Amino acid sequence: MKMAAVFLLGLADDEQRQLIRRERVFRDRTNPLDFLNDTEVIERYRLPREFLFRLIDIVREDIEPDTHRSHALSACTQVLVTVRYLAKASFFSECGDLHGISRASVSRAVDAVTKSICHRLDNIHFPTEEEANRVKHDFYQIAGFPNVLGAIDGTLIPIMAPKVNEPEYVCRKGYHAMNIQVVADAWLRFTNVVAKWPGSVHDAFMFENSSLKAKIEARTDGWLLGDSAYGLKKYMMTPKLNPSTPAEENYNEAHSKTRVVVERALGVCKSRFRCLHKSGGMLLFSPGKCVQIITAVMKLHNMCLEMRLPQDPDVDVQIPDQVLLPPNPARVDQTGQAVRLRLIQRFDN
């Protein structure tokens, strides 16, 4: 303390005041929606103005500050910052510079808004028995495959290497990821999302340990379509290994054309929200916060479909070739084989 006092005495009054107290700098936080036209809003946020206003109304109660002292961030600013990050996968510094806030404030805004979306937006529902006929009709129109309640798949979302249990997150492709189970309907809506498993977990394991399995197992009004990573069951139709008849080939073709909706849904979602796309790098958060962001994005995807927002016509949907694995005796289900055989007979024409 004495040395500090001696040092200050040797300085001029103005220099002393500068050292003791730095004046706070408040950057311009003009609301971009007030001066950007509709085209510029879409270019900056990849979403139209009406979508942004609706999202602000949904989360406002959770994120609106109680006071405007010290230039607290408005709900509008927090939502715009978050959407910019989710849709463009921009650096926090870029998001902050665009909206006149710091990187730390961007991080807090993304956390608050995505948490509120997960809490407030309830639009991911597996079809009930009352809704099943409409869902099955929509799927049947694609390729004539009957009684389909949903198409299931897993998708890998790259994340930063976590500090705890790091090897468990290394996926089969060699990078750190979360493995997300999704089910989609014929209109590309997500009807089930399981976001909690590390990248090393197999798709079939995720399904076997999900509440969806118990739900679909108890029903008798339809089945899911999965690739050969899943076991053949009465409620899970998979491709036929080494088709040898025209009926089996027709069955596999109809199965592939119908199941591809889940690949398209993921392609549209990742194209609109680049933070999940491989071109956006990776999610630089802990696994828990990654789950929160991924779930929020899936809900926003459904909201976009509900509002009938136009899809990017140039979406690059990576549809992998069917990898037909040899049957695993532990996964052979006699009832499932009988159901699939009856289905194959329907395609004998």
Side-chain angles (χ1 to χ4, degrees):
M1 290 292 292
K2 288 183 179 179
M3 292 181 63
V6 171
F7 174 74
L8 289 173
L9 286 174
L11 297 175
D13 291 344
D14 290 343
E15 293 175 324
Q16 289 185 35
R17 281 193 293 270
Q18 272 191 333
L19 286 173
I20 294 172
R21 182 180 181 276
R22 291 182 59 189
E23 185 177 354
R24 294 183 65 183
V25 177
F26 296 103
R27 289 186 281 180
D28 178 30
R29 291 184 190 165
T30 306
N31 184 354
L33 299 182
D34 291 340
F35 61 86
L36 295 178
N37 62 39
D38 291 344
T39 301
E40 291 169 336
V41 169
I42 293 175
E43 287 176 352
R44 179 174 292 193
Y45 301 105
R46 297 180 63 85
L47 291 166
R49 191 185 307 271
E50 58 270 21
F51 181 95
L52 298 172
F53 282 141
R54 182 173 172 184
L55 181 58
I56 292 167
D57 289 339
I58 290 172
V59 302
R60 186 187 301 277
E61 185 176 343
D62 292 331
I63 66 174
E64 187 73 62
D66 297 328
T67 176
H68 292 288
R69 293 182 59 189
S70 300
H71 288 230
L73 296 184
S74 66
C76 179
T77 299
Q78 293 183 67
V79 168
L80 293 180
V81 166
T82 301
V83 170
R84 171 75 186 192
Y85 169 72
L86 298 179
K88 292 277 195 175
S90 300
F91 292 111
F92 278 7
S93 56
E94 180 187 354
C95 292
D97 290 343
L98 274 175
H99 299 89
I101 63 177
S102 66
R103 285 181 297 174
S105 295
V106 173
S107 179
R108 287 191 292 269
V110 170
D111 180 53
V113 173
T114 53
K115 185 181 296 182
S116 180
I117 291 170
C118 292
H119 173 63
R120 297 281 179 181
L121 202 54
D122 185 20
N123 61 358
I124 298 179
H125 302 286
F126 194 74
T128 63
E129 293 184 6
E130 292 74 21
E131 300 166 334
N133 286 337
R134 177 186 56 80
V135 173
K136 290 188 289 186
H137 174 269
D138 293 341
F139 271 113
Y140 186 80
Q141 298 303 308
I142 298 174
F145 206 106
N147 296 335
V148 179
L149 294 175
I152 187 171
D153 199 11
T155 185
L156 295 168
I157 306 297
I159 67 170
M160 178 179 63
K163 296 179 181 179
V164 180
N165 299 325
E166 178 268 337
E168 295 182 5
Y169 290 87
V170 179
C171 68
R172 66 182 184 277
K173 297 182 180 180
Y175 57 84
H176 296 89
M178 301 290 300
N179 198 2
I180 311 300
Q181 174 182 292
V182 298
V183 177
D185 67 11
W187 296 101
L188 312 186
R189 287 184 295 254
F190 294 125
T191 58
N192 179 264
V193 173
V194 178
K196 64 179 182 180
W197 295 103
S200 63
V201 172
H202 194 273
D203 291 355
F205 182 88
M206 287 196 296
F207 176 70
E208 290 293 323
N209 290 274
S210 68
S211 60
L212 177 63
K213 182 199 172 185
K215 186 182 297 185
I216 193 73
E217 197 172 17
R219 294 174 60 164
T220 59
D221 57 342
W223 40 68
L224 299 173
L225 295 189
D227 59 21
S228 57
Y230 298 93
L232 174 64
K233 304 286 184 182
K234 65 178 183 179
Y235 48 82
M236 177 74 75
M237 291 295 103
T238 60
K240 175 68 177 177
L241 179 66
N242 299 324
S244 57
T245 67
E248 291 176 349
E249 291 176 355
N250 292 339
Y251 165 86
N252 274 6
E253 182 179 0
H255 183 284
S256 177
K257 287 181 178 179
T258 308
R259 198 195 72 86
V260 79
V261 297
V262 69
E263 304 284 356
R264 291 182 57 213
L266 288 168
V268 170
C269 178
K270 292 180 180 182
S271 175
R272 181 171 273 141
F273 299 100
R274 289 284 173 174
C275 68
L276 302 189
H277 195 272
K278 59 185 179 182
S279 64
M282 66 182 72
L283 294 177
L284 302 175
F285 307 97
S286 66
K289 189 171 287 189
C290 289
V291 166
Q292 177 179 303
I293 290 174
I294 293 166
T295 304
V297 166
M298 301 291 183
K299 292 188 173 190
L300 290 177
H301 166 81
N302 279 5
M303 183 174 163
C304 291
L305 296 179
E306 290 163 9
M307 295 183 66
R308 300 182 182 277
L309 300 188
Q311 299 173 12
D312 186 349
D314 299 322
V315 172
D316 180 22
V317 181
Q318 296 294 329
I319 303 174
D321 296 332
Q322 283 280 13
V323 180
L324 299 178
L325 305 175
N328 183 342
R331 297 194 301 167
V332 171
D333 181 85
Q334 299 299 325
T335 306
Q337 287 184 334
V339 172
R340 187 169 69 179
L341 180 59
R342 290 197 297 270
L343 280 172
I344 290 174
Q345 292 170 352
R346 288 175 59 108
F347 291 94
D348 189 10
N349 50 34

